[in-house]
Amino acid sequence: AQSVTQLDSQVPVFEEAPVELRCNYSSSVSVYLFWYVQYPNQGLQLLLKYLSGSTLVKGINGFEAEFNKSQTSFHLRKPSVHISDTAEYFCAVSDRAGGSYIPTFGRGTSLIVHP
Amino acid sequence: DAGVTQSPTHLIKTRGQQVTLRCSPKSGHDTVSWYQQALGQGPQFIFQYYEEEERQRGNFPDRFSGHQYPNYSSELNVNALLLGDSALYLCASSLEEGTDTQYFGPGTRLTVL
């Protein structure tokens, strides 16, 4: 069984400051990793994904994440945030061996960007 | 190109009633997955449909059932509603080949009183 822990339920930050949203996962097999964003009253949008290859993954809206197998982490970063980045962010993991891509989601981190 | 659409947007039911939620996948997608997102939680996988059959199922009781039509649209049915069924229900579509990328709809907010 796999699980995801998002270490911060809420992250307040000022506009143009850097931000890191933390995600740790637990799995007995190799995994695929995802970050999704959910704006108020909307569905989830894929920010980026790690399937294989380079451990540094770049996504949309200037976000990037680094897969660290030894620390079982997949932290999301952005060097300079905007007010429009205020949203809920979800980390997710799926089982590579199963090949089904059905993700297990974390509980989410609320990013709040202040002017 | 229309994305994933869901109807209705909001729904209010009482305990014991039955509800049907609907989803139209993104154009060209043949696989539909349903998720339940309780308040303050991440989405939880309910089941996935491909070729009109339930392909995978999460840890949800039989009160939750679904259907997929030949045009790939899908329904989620919940019988004997409980207060704990109140949640945002999300539909996601993907291609059977390359299902790593799921496209989510805006969801249906179900409130059970």
Side-chain angles (χ1 to χ4, degrees):
Chain A
Q2 59 217 18
S3 65
V4 175
T5 302
Q6 292 186 241
L7 297 158
D8 306 295
S9 59
Q10 202 172 79
V11 173
V13 64
F14 286 106
E15 195 173 18
E16 298 184 7
V19 70
E20 178 180 83
L21 306 184
R22 297 180 293 167
C23 172
N24 285 90
Y25 68 92
S26 172
S27 176
S28 59
V29 297
S30 296
V31 297
Y32 296 116
L33 294 157
F34 308 85
W35 275 99
Y36 285 87
V37 60
Q38 186 176 35
Y39 298 104
N41 301 313
Q42 294 188 28
L44 276 69
Q45 180 182 7
L46 181 68
L47 272 178
L48 49 79
K49 61 185 177 184
Y50 170 79
L51 303 182
S52 65
S54 172
T55 57
L56 182 63
V57 180
K58 294 190 182 298
I60 62 171
N61 301 340
F63 285 94
E64 64 180 33
E66 186 156 19
F67 170 54
N68 189 318
K69 187 175 181 179
S70 62
Q71 296 187 3
T72 60
S73 69
F74 192 54
H75 301 332
L76 180 70
R77 302 184 182 98
K78 185 170 182 177
S80 176
V81 295
H82 301 288
I83 296 286
S84 59
D85 292 324
T86 295
E88 194 79 16
Y89 291 79
F90 293 95
C91 181
V93 61
S94 64
D95 178 355
R96 290 184 67 173
S100 69
Y101 301 101
I102 301 299
T104 298
F105 287 87
R107 295 183 65 170
T109 296
S110 180
L111 175 63
I112 302 169
V113 181
H114 297 287
Chain B
D1 177 23
V4 179
T5 60
Q6 293 185 243
S7 62
T9 306
H10 296 88
L11 204 52
I12 299 175
K13 293 286 188 179
T14 56
R15 282 177 295 174
Q17 284 190 310
Q18 179 265 343
V19 69
T20 297
L21 311 181
R22 294 177 175 82
C23 170
S24 291
K26 182 178 169 64
S27 177
H29 284 186
D30 54 11
T31 302
V32 173
S33 303
W34 286 91
Y35 295 82
Q36 180 194 67
Q37 186 179 14
L39 200 62
Q41 304 290 323
Q44 282 197 294
F45 174 69
I46 303 175
F47 42 55
Q48 184 180 78
Y49 275 83
Y50 171 67
E51 290 189 338
E52 302 179 49
E53 290 189 359
E54 184 182 291
R55 185 160 69 168
Q56 289 191 71
R57 189 179 184 91
N59 188 25
F60 279 80
D62 291 345
R63 297 188 297 109
F64 290 78
S65 63
H67 188 79
Q68 185 180 34
Y69 294 93
N71 67 353
Y72 308 122
S73 66
S74 177
E75 290 180 351
L76 164 65
N77 301 294
V78 187
N79 294 323
L81 285 167
L82 304 173
L83 295 179
D85 294 332
S86 295
L88 180 69
Y89 288 86
L90 295 166
C91 169
S93 74
S94 55
L95 281 168
E96 194 275 338
E97 182 176 329
T99 53
D100 59 283
T101 301
Q102 297 190 334
Y103 292 80
F104 283 81
T108 294
R109 174 73 63 186
L110 173 64
T111 302
V112 182
L113 302 176

